[in-house]
Amino acid sequence: MDNAKFQIKWIFNIKTEEKIYRIGEIAEMFDLSKSTIRFYEEIGLFPNLKRSPGGLRLFSQEEINCIEDVECLKKTGMSLKDIAAYVSWKQEGDSSLLARLNLIRNQRLTLEQNIRNLEKELTKLTHKQWYYEQAVAAGTESIFNGDCEYEYYRAHPDEQQTESEG
């Protein structure tokens, strides 16, 4: 009975009635390992993280918002070093708005270039898939006259036009 009261005491912050989460709940919520979350704390991604008197990490909505930012920026390819700088700048408030804007702008440009590169690779994979579908259907690769690219664009003229326009 006493354990249940203790757990309830730490699940909600009695002063603000804000839900407080433990590391396991956060790990499950974001499909991250506990060690990843501990590492995030080590590199300063949770500057306001509170702990219970027993040393348990107590995650609030602030940390949830931070993890959402971190995971978004990671998916764009941003380094953890830059993400840590971003989190630090957010703590500084308005004085760091320009620094944050520049970081986000640069990352967006990098991501857009990566997307263009991936689109080119997707076109190549589409071509290879088409090639093998044709060869499998015919039972041989000898159906091609040696200029596979020509054959592909003859069969897909709309893609040739799109690529030459880009």
Side-chain angles (χ1 to χ4, degrees):
M1 188 81 156
D2 288 333
N3 282 343
K5 286 181 184 177
F6 176 77
Q7 288 176 346
I8 291 170
K9 181 179 175 183
W10 289 110
I11 291 175
F12 290 95
N13 181 331
I14 294 174
K15 291 180 185 174
T16 64
E17 296 185 17
E18 178 182 26
K19 177 137 174 58
I20 301 298
Y21 301 86
R22 296 179 309 213
I23 194 168
E25 294 170 303
I26 296 295
E28 187 175 320
M29 192 182 299
F30 289 96
D31 196 27
L32 297 170
S33 69
K34 291 178 186 178
S35 61
T36 296
I37 296 168
R38 288 184 198 104
F39 177 70
Y40 286 177
E41 180 187 13
E42 282 177 34
I43 63 172
L45 299 185
F46 308 126
N48 300 319
L49 184 67
K50 307 279 188 275
R51 288 185 179 258
S52 73
L56 296 174
R57 292 168 181 87
L58 303 173
F59 294 86
S60 67
Q61 188 61 47
E62 180 180 346
E63 285 76 33
I64 290 172
N65 295 343
C66 185
I67 293 173
E68 288 172 347
D69 282 352
V70 168
E71 292 304 298
C72 170
L73 295 172
K74 269 180 36 184
K75 288 175 184 171
T76 71
M78 186 179 288
S79 72
L80 283 176
K81 178 183 173 190
D82 286 344
I83 293 171
Y86 173 81
V87 169
S88 175
W89 291 334
K90 281 185 76 172
Q91 290 294 304
E92 293 175 15
D94 291 347
S95 66
S96 68
L97 284 171
L98 184 58
R100 286 182 274 161
L101 174 60
N102 287 334
L103 180 69
I104 296 300
R105 276 184 179 155
N106 289 337
Q107 190 62 32
R108 182 184 169 117
L109 291 173
T110 299
L111 182 59
E112 287 172 346
Q113 183 60 51
N114 290 344
I115 289 169
R116 284 190 293 276
N117 292 341
L118 285 171
E119 286 173 343
K120 288 178 185 176
E121 299 308 316
L122 181 59
T123 298
K124 291 177 188 175
L125 280 177
T126 300
H127 171 70
K128 288 184 181 300
Q129 179 181 338
W130 172 85
Y131 174 91
Y132 288 111
E133 286 171 350
Q134 300 304 308
V136 165
T140 181
E141 291 181 83
S142 66
I143 61 169
F144 298 108
N145 69 3
D147 187 355
C148 186
E149 187 172 338
Y150 168 79
E151 293 290 339
Y152 178 79
Y153 287 120
R154 187 173 59 81
H156 303 89
D158 56 321
E159 291 184 28
Q160 185 175 22
Q161 183 179 17
T162 302
E163 189 163 291
S164 66
E165 288 175 356

Coordinates of all heavy atoms in Angstrom, one line a residue, residues 97-161:
L97 N 17.7 33.7 -31.2 CA 16.7 33.4 -32.3 C 17.4 33.3 -33.6 O 17.2 32.4 -34.4 CB 15.7 34.5 -32.3 CG 14.6 34.3 -31.2 CD1 13.7 35.6 -31.3 CD2 13.7 33.1 -31.4
L98 N 18.3 34.2 -33.9 CA 19.0 34.2 -35.2 C 19.9 33.0 -35.4 O 19.9 32.4 -36.4 CB 19.9 35.5 -35.4 CG 20.5 35.7 -36.7 CD1 19.5 35.6 -37.9 CD2 21.4 37.0 -36.8
A99 N 20.6 32.6 -34.3 CA 21.4 31.4 -34.4 C 20.6 30.2 -34.7 O 21.0 29.3 -35.5 CB 22.2 31.2 -33.1
R100 N 19.4 30.1 -34.0 CA 18.6 28.9 -34.2 C 18.0 29.0 -35.7 O 17.9 27.9 -36.3 CB 17.4 28.9 -33.2 CG 17.9 28.5 -31.8 CD 16.8 28.4 -30.9 NE 16.6 29.7 -30.2 CZ 15.5 30.1 -29.6 NH1 14.5 29.3 -29.5 NH2 15.4 31.3 -29.1
L101 N 17.6 30.1 -36.1 CA 17.1 30.3 -37.5 C 18.1 29.8 -38.5 O 17.8 29.1 -39.4 CB 16.6 31.7 -37.8 CG 16.2 32.0 -39.2 CD1 15.0 31.2 -39.6 CD2 15.9 33.5 -39.3
N102 N 19.4 30.3 -38.3 CA 20.4 29.9 -39.3 C 20.7 28.4 -39.3 O 20.9 27.8 -40.3 CB 21.7 30.7 -39.0 CG 21.6 32.2 -39.4 OD1 20.8 32.5 -40.3 ND2 22.3 33.1 -38.7
L103 N 20.7 27.8 -38.1 CA 20.9 26.4 -38.0 C 19.8 25.6 -38.7 O 20.1 24.7 -39.5 CB 21.0 25.9 -36.5 CG 21.2 24.5 -36.3 CD1 22.6 24.1 -36.7 CD2 20.9 24.1 -34.8
I104 N 18.6 26.0 -38.5 CA 17.4 25.4 -39.2 C 17.5 25.6 -40.7 O 17.2 24.7 -41.5 CB 16.1 25.9 -38.5 CG1 16.0 25.5 -37.1 CG2 14.9 25.3 -39.3 CD1 16.1 24.0 -36.8
R105 N 17.8 26.8 -41.1 CA 17.9 27.1 -42.5 C 18.9 26.2 -43.2 O 18.7 25.7 -44.3 CB 18.3 28.6 -42.8 CG 17.1 29.5 -42.8 CD 17.6 30.9 -43.1 NE 16.5 31.9 -43.1 CZ 16.7 33.2 -42.9 NH1 17.9 33.7 -42.7 NH2 15.6 34.0 -42.9
N106 N 20.1 26.2 -42.6 CA 21.2 25.4 -43.1 C 20.8 23.9 -43.2 O 21.1 23.2 -44.2 CB 22.5 25.6 -42.4 CG 23.1 26.9 -42.6 OD1 22.8 27.6 -43.6 ND2 23.9 27.4 -41.6
Q107 N 20.2 23.4 -42.2 CA 19.8 22.0 -42.1 C 18.7 21.8 -43.2 O 18.7 20.7 -43.9 CB 19.3 21.6 -40.8 CG 19.1 20.1 -40.6 CD 20.4 19.3 -40.8 OE1 21.4 19.8 -40.5 NE2 20.3 18.1 -41.3
R108 N 17.8 22.7 -43.4 CA 16.8 22.5 -44.4 C 17.4 22.5 -45.8 O 17.1 21.6 -46.6 CB 15.8 23.7 -44.4 CG 14.7 23.5 -45.4 CD 13.8 24.7 -45.4 NE 12.9 24.6 -46.6 CZ 11.6 24.5 -46.6 NH1 11.0 24.5 -45.4 NH2 10.9 24.4 -47.7
L109 N 18.4 23.3 -46.1 CA 19.1 23.3 -47.4 C 19.8 22.0 -47.6 O 19.8 21.4 -48.7 CB 20.1 24.4 -47.5 CG 19.5 25.8 -47.6 CD1 20.6 26.9 -47.5 CD2 18.7 26.0 -48.9
T110 N 20.5 21.5 -46.5 CA 21.1 20.2 -46.6 C 20.1 19.1 -46.9 O 20.4 18.2 -47.7 CB 21.9 19.9 -45.3 OG1 22.9 20.9 -45.1 CG2 22.6 18.5 -45.3
L111 N 19.0 19.1 -46.2 CA 18.0 18.1 -46.3 C 17.4 18.1 -47.8 O 17.2 17.1 -48.4 CB 16.9 18.3 -45.3 CG 15.8 17.2 -45.3 CD1 16.3 15.8 -45.1 CD2 14.7 17.6 -44.3
E112 N 17.2 19.3 -48.3 CA 16.6 19.4 -49.6 C 17.6 18.9 -50.6 O 17.2 18.2 -51.6 CB 16.3 20.9 -50.0 CG 15.1 21.4 -49.2 CD 14.9 22.9 -49.4 OE1 15.8 23.6 -49.8 OE2 13.8 23.4 -49.0
Q113 N 18.9 19.1 -50.5 CA 19.9 18.5 -51.4 C 19.9 17.0 -51.3 O 20.0 16.3 -52.3 CB 21.3 19.1 -51.1 CG 22.4 18.6 -52.0 CD 22.1 18.9 -53.5 OE1 21.8 20.0 -53.8 NE2 22.1 17.9 -54.4
N114 N 19.8 16.5 -50.0 CA 19.8 15.0 -49.8 C 18.5 14.4 -50.5 O 18.6 13.4 -51.1 CB 19.8 14.7 -48.3 CG 21.1 15.0 -47.7 OD1 22.1 15.2 -48.3 ND2 21.1 15.1 -46.4
I115 N 17.4 15.1 -50.4 CA 16.2 14.6 -51.1 C 16.4 14.6 -52.6 O 16.0 13.6 -53.2 CB 15.0 15.5 -50.7 CG1 14.6 15.3 -49.2 CG2 13.8 15.2 -51.6 CD1 13.6 16.2 -48.7
R116 N 17.0 15.6 -53.2 CA 17.3 15.6 -54.6 C 18.2 14.5 -55.0 O 17.9 13.8 -56.0 CB 17.9 17.0 -55.1 CG 16.9 18.1 -55.1 CD 17.5 19.3 -55.8 NE 18.5 20.0 -55.0 CZ 18.3 20.8 -54.0 NH1 17.1 21.2 -53.7 NH2 19.3 21.4 -53.4
N117 N 19.2 14.2 -54.2 CA 20.1 13.1 -54.5 C 19.4 11.8 -54.3 O 19.6 10.9 -55.2 CB 21.3 13.1 -53.5 CG 22.2 14.3 -53.8 OD1 22.2 14.9 -54.8 ND2 23.0 14.7 -52.8
L118 N 18.5 11.7 -53.4 CA 17.8 10.4 -53.2 C 16.8 10.2 -54.3 O 16.5 9.1 -54.8 CB 17.0 10.4 -51.8 CG 17.9 10.1 -50.6 CD1 17.1 10.4 -49.3 CD2 18.5 8.7 -50.7
E119 N 16.2 11.3 -54.8 CA 15.3 11.2 -56.0 C 16.0 10.7 -57.2 O 15.5 9.9 -58.0 CB 14.6 12.5 -56.3 CG 13.5 12.9 -55.2 CD 13.0 14.3 -55.4 OE1 13.6 15.1 -56.0 OE2 11.9 14.5 -54.8
K120 N 17.3 11.1 -57.4 CA 18.1 10.6 -58.5 C 18.3 9.1 -58.3 O 18.2 8.3 -59.3 CB 19.4 11.3 -58.6 CG 19.3 12.8 -59.1 CD 20.6 13.4 -59.1 CE 20.5 14.9 -59.5 NZ 21.8 15.6 -59.5
E121 N 18.6 8.7 -57.1 CA 18.9 7.3 -56.9 C 17.6 6.5 -57.0 O 17.6 5.3 -57.5 CB 19.5 7.1 -55.5 CG 20.8 7.8 -55.3 CD 21.8 7.4 -56.4 OE1 21.9 6.2 -56.7 OE2 22.5 8.4 -56.8
L122 N 16.4 7.1 -56.6 CA 15.2 6.4 -56.8 C 14.9 6.2 -58.3 O 14.4 5.1 -58.7 CB 14.0 7.2 -56.2 CG 12.6 6.6 -56.3 CD1 12.6 5.2 -55.6 CD2 11.6 7.6 -55.6
T123 N 15.2 7.1 -59.1 CA 15.0 7.0 -60.6 C 15.9 5.8 -61.1 O 15.4 5.0 -61.9 CB 15.4 8.3 -61.3 OG1 14.5 9.3 -60.9 CG2 15.3 8.2 -62.8
K124 N 17.1 5.7 -60.6 CA 18.0 4.6 -61.0 C 17.4 3.3 -60.6 O 17.4 2.3 -61.3 CB 19.4 4.8 -60.4 CG 20.2 6.0 -61.0 CD 21.5 6.1 -60.3 CE 22.2 7.4 -60.8 NZ 23.5 7.6 -60.0
L125 N 16.9 3.2 -59.3 CA 16.3 2.0 -58.9 C 15.1 1.6 -59.6 O 14.8 0.5 -59.9 CB 16.0 2.1 -57.4 CG 17.1 1.9 -56.4 CD1 16.7 2.1 -55.0 CD2 17.7 0.5 -56.6
T126 N 14.3 2.6 -60.0 CA 13.1 2.4 -60.8 C 13.5 1.8 -62.1 O 12.8 0.8 -62.6 CB 12.3 3.7 -61.0 OG1 11.9 4.2 -59.7 CG2 11.1 3.5 -61.9
H127 N 14.5 2.3 -62.7 CA 15.0 1.8 -64.0 C 15.5 0.4 -63.8 O 15.1 -0.5 -64.6 CB 16.2 2.7 -64.4 CG 16.9 2.1 -65.6 ND1 16.4 2.0 -66.9 CD2 18.2 1.6 -65.7 CE1 17.3 1.5 -67.7 NE2 18.3 1.2 -67.0
K128 N 16.2 0.1 -62.8 CA 16.7 -1.3 -62.6 C 15.6 -2.3 -62.3 O 15.6 -3.4 -62.8 CB 17.7 -1.4 -61.4 CG 19.0 -0.7 -61.7 CD 20.0 -0.9 -60.5 CE 21.3 -0.3 -60.8 NZ 22.0 -0.8 -62.0
Q129 N 14.6 -1.8 -61.6 CA 13.4 -2.7 -61.3 C 12.7 -2.9 -62.7 O 12.3 -4.1 -63.0 CB 12.4 -2.0 -60.4 CG 11.1 -2.8 -60.1 CD 10.2 -2.1 -59.2 OE1 10.5 -1.2 -58.4 NE2 8.9 -2.5 -59.3
W130 N 12.5 -1.9 -63.5 CA 11.9 -2.1 -64.8 C 12.7 -3.1 -65.6 O 12.1 -4.0 -66.2 CB 11.7 -0.7 -65.5 CG 11.3 -0.9 -66.9 CD1 10.0 -1.0 -67.3 CD2 12.1 -1.0 -68.1 NE1 10.0 -1.1 -68.7 CE2 11.3 -1.1 -69.2 CE3 13.5 -0.9 -68.3 CZ2 11.7 -1.3 -70.5 CZ3 14.0 -1.1 -69.5 CH2 13.1 -1.2 -70.6
Y131 N 14.0 -2.9 -65.7 CA 14.9 -3.8 -66.4 C 14.7 -5.2 -66.0 O 14.4 -6.1 -66.9 CB 16.3 -3.3 -66.2 CG 17.3 -4.2 -66.8 CD1 17.8 -4.0 -68.1 CD2 17.9 -5.3 -66.1 CE1 18.8 -4.8 -68.7 CE2 18.8 -6.2 -66.7 CZ 19.2 -5.9 -68.0 OH 20.2 -6.7 -68.6
Y132 N 14.7 -5.5 -64.7 CA 14.6 -6.9 -64.3 C 13.2 -7.4 -64.5 O 13.0 -8.6 -64.8 CB 15.1 -7.0 -62.9 CG 16.6 -6.9 -62.8 CD1 17.2 -5.8 -62.2 CD2 17.4 -7.9 -63.4 CE1 18.6 -5.7 -62.2 CE2 18.8 -7.8 -63.4 CZ 19.4 -6.7 -62.8 OH 20.7 -6.6 -62.8
E133 N 12.2 -6.6 -64.3 CA 10.8 -7.0 -64.6 C 10.7 -7.5 -66.1 O 10.1 -8.5 -66.4 CB 9.8 -5.9 -64.3 CG 9.6 -5.7 -62.8 CD 8.7 -4.5 -62.5 OE1 8.5 -3.7 -63.4 OE2 8.4 -4.4 -61.3
Q134 N 11.2 -6.7 -67.0 CA 11.2 -7.0 -68.4 C 12.0 -8.3 -68.7 O 11.5 -9.2 -69.4 CB 11.7 -5.9 -69.3 CG 11.0 -4.6 -69.1 CD 9.5 -4.7 -69.4 OE1 9.1 -5.3 -70.4 NE2 8.7 -4.3 -68.5
A135 N 13.2 -8.4 -68.1 CA 14.0 -9.6 -68.3 C 13.4 -10.8 -67.7 O 13.4 -11.9 -68.4 CB 15.4 -9.3 -67.7
V136 N 12.8 -10.7 -66.5 CA 12.2 -11.9 -65.9 C 11.0 -12.3 -66.8 O 10.8 -13.5 -67.0 CB 11.7 -11.6 -64.5 CG1 10.8 -12.6 -63.9 CG2 13.0 -11.5 -63.6
A137 N 10.2 -11.3 -67.2 CA 9.0 -11.7 -68.0 C 9.4 -12.4 -69.3 O 8.7 -13.3 -69.8 CB 8.2 -10.4 -68.4
A138 N 10.5 -12.0 -69.9 CA 11.0 -12.6 -71.2 C 11.9 -13.8 -70.9 O 12.1 -14.6 -71.8 CB 11.9 -11.6 -71.9
G139 N 12.3 -14.0 -69.7 CA 13.2 -15.1 -69.3 C 14.6 -14.9 -69.7 O 15.4 -15.8 -69.6
T140 N 15.0 -13.7 -70.2 CA 16.4 -13.4 -70.6 C 16.6 -11.9 -70.6 O 15.7 -11.1 -70.8 CB 16.6 -14.0 -72.0 OG1 18.0 -13.7 -72.3 CG2 15.7 -13.5 -73.0
E141 N 17.9 -11.6 -70.5 CA 18.3 -10.2 -70.6 C 18.6 -9.8 -72.1 O 18.8 -8.7 -72.4 CB 19.6 -9.9 -69.8 CG 19.3 -9.9 -68.3 CD 20.6 -9.6 -67.5 OE1 20.9 -8.4 -67.3 OE2 21.3 -10.6 -67.1
S142 N 18.7 -10.8 -72.9 CA 19.0 -10.6 -74.3 C 18.0 -9.8 -75.1 O 18.2 -9.5 -76.2 CB 19.4 -11.9 -75.0 OG 18.2 -12.7 -75.1
I143 N 16.8 -9.5 -74.4 CA 15.8 -8.7 -75.1 C 16.2 -7.3 -75.3 O 15.6 -6.6 -76.1 CB 14.5 -8.8 -74.3 CG1 14.6 -8.2 -72.9 CG2 13.9 -10.2 -74.3 CD1 13.3 -7.9 -72.2
F144 N 17.3 -6.9 -74.6 CA 17.7 -5.5 -74.7 C 18.8 -5.4 -75.8 O 19.6 -6.3 -75.9 CB 18.3 -5.0 -73.4 CG 17.2 -5.0 -72.3 CD1 17.2 -5.9 -71.3 CD2 16.1 -4.1 -72.3 CE1 16.3 -5.9 -70.3 CE2 15.2 -4.1 -71.4 CZ 15.2 -5.0 -70.3
N145 N 18.8 -4.3 -76.5 CA 19.7 -4.1 -77.6 C 21.1 -3.7 -77.2 O 21.9 -3.3 -78.0 CB 19.1 -3.1 -78.6 CG 19.1 -1.7 -78.1 OD1 19.5 -1.4 -77.0 ND2 18.5 -0.8 -78.9
G146 N 21.4 -3.7 -75.9 CA 22.7 -3.2 -75.4 C 22.6 -1.8 -74.8 O 23.5 -1.4 -74.1
D147 N 21.6 -1.1 -75.2 CA 21.5 0.3 -74.6 C 20.2 0.3 -73.8 O 19.1 0.7 -74.2 CB 21.3 1.3 -75.8 CG 21.3 2.7 -75.2 OD1 21.4 2.9 -74.0 OD2 21.3 3.6 -76.1
C148 N 20.4 -0.2 -72.6 CA 19.3 -0.4 -71.6 C 18.7 1.0 -71.3 O 17.4 1.1 -71.2 CB 19.8 -1.1 -70.4 SG 18.5 -1.5 -69.2
E149 N 19.5 2.0 -71.2 CA 18.9 3.3 -70.8 C 18.0 3.8 -71.9 O 16.9 4.3 -71.7 CB 20.1 4.3 -70.6 CG 19.6 5.7 -70.1 CD 20.7 6.6 -69.8 OE1 21.8 6.1 -69.5 OE2 20.4 7.8 -69.8
Y150 N 18.4 3.6 -73.2 CA 17.5 4.0 -74.3 C 16.2 3.2 -74.3 O 15.1 3.8 -74.4 CB 18.2 3.7 -75.7 CG 17.3 3.8 -76.8 CD1 16.9 5.0 -77.4 CD2 16.8 2.6 -77.4 CE1 16.1 5.1 -78.4 CE2 15.9 2.7 -78.5 CZ 15.5 3.9 -79.0 OH 14.7 4.0 -80.0
E151 N 16.3 1.9 -74.0 CA 15.1 1.1 -73.9 C 14.2 1.6 -72.8 O 12.9 1.6 -73.0 CB 15.4 -0.4 -73.7 CG 16.2 -1.0 -74.9 CD 15.3 -1.2 -76.1 OE1 14.0 -1.3 -75.9 OE2 15.8 -1.4 -77.2
Y152 N 14.7 1.9 -71.7 CA 13.9 2.4 -70.6 C 13.2 3.7 -70.9 O 12.0 3.8 -70.7 CB 14.8 2.6 -69.3 CG 14.0 3.1 -68.1 CD1 13.3 2.2 -67.4 CD2 14.0 4.5 -67.8 CE1 12.5 2.7 -66.3 CE2 13.2 4.9 -66.7 CZ 12.5 4.0 -66.0 OH 11.8 4.5 -64.9
Y153 N 13.9 4.6 -71.4 CA 13.3 5.9 -71.7 C 12.3 5.8 -72.9 O 11.4 6.6 -73.1 CB 14.3 7.0 -71.9 CG 14.9 7.4 -70.6 CD1 16.3 7.3 -70.4 CD2 14.1 7.9 -69.6 CE1 16.8 7.6 -69.1 CE2 14.6 8.2 -68.3 CZ 16.0 8.1 -68.1 OH 16.5 8.4 -66.9
R154 N 12.5 4.8 -73.8 CA 11.6 4.6 -74.9 C 10.3 4.1 -74.3 O 9.2 4.5 -74.7 CB 12.2 3.6 -75.9 CG 11.3 3.4 -77.1 CD 12.0 2.5 -78.1 NE 12.3 1.1 -77.6 CZ 11.4 0.1 -77.5 NH1 10.2 0.3 -77.9 NH2 11.8 -1.0 -77.0
A155 N 10.4 3.3 -73.2 CA 9.2 2.8 -72.6 C 8.6 3.8 -71.6 O 7.4 3.7 -71.2 CB 9.5 1.5 -71.8
H156 N 9.4 4.7 -71.1 CA 9.0 5.7 -70.1 C 9.3 7.1 -70.5 O 10.2 7.8 -69.9 CB 9.6 5.4 -68.7 CG 9.3 4.0 -68.3 ND1 10.1 3.0 -68.6 CD2 8.3 3.6 -67.5 CE1 9.6 1.9 -68.0 NE2 8.5 2.2 -67.4
P157 N 8.8 7.6 -71.6 CA 9.2 9.0 -72.1 C 8.9 10.1 -71.1 O 9.6 11.1 -71.1 CB 8.4 9.1 -73.4 CG 7.2 8.2 -73.3 CD 7.7 7.0 -72.4
D158 N 7.9 10.0 -70.3 CA 7.6 11.0 -69.3 C 8.7 11.2 -68.3 O 9.0 12.3 -67.9 CB 6.3 10.7 -68.6 CG 6.3 9.3 -67.9 OD1 6.9 8.4 -68.5 OD2 5.8 9.2 -66.8
E159 N 9.4 10.1 -68.0 CA 10.5 10.3 -67.0 C 11.7 10.9 -67.7 O 12.5 11.6 -67.0 CB 10.9 8.9 -66.4 CG 9.8 8.4 -65.5 CD 10.2 7.1 -64.9 OE1 11.4 6.8 -64.7 OE2 9.2 6.3 -64.6
Q160 N 12.0 10.7 -68.9 CA 13.1 11.3 -69.6 C 12.9 12.8 -69.7 O 13.8 13.6 -69.4 CB 13.2 10.8 -71.0 CG 14.5 11.3 -71.8 CD 14.6 10.6 -73.1 OE1 13.7 10.1 -73.7 NE2 15.8 10.7 -73.6
Q161 N 11.7 13.2 -69.9 CA 11.4 14.6 -70.0 C 11.6 15.3 -68.6 O 12.2 16.3 -68.5 CB 9.9 14.8 -70.5 CG 9.5 16.3 -70.6 CD 8.1 16.5 -71.1 OE1 7.3 15.5 -71.1 NE2 7.8 17.6 -71.6

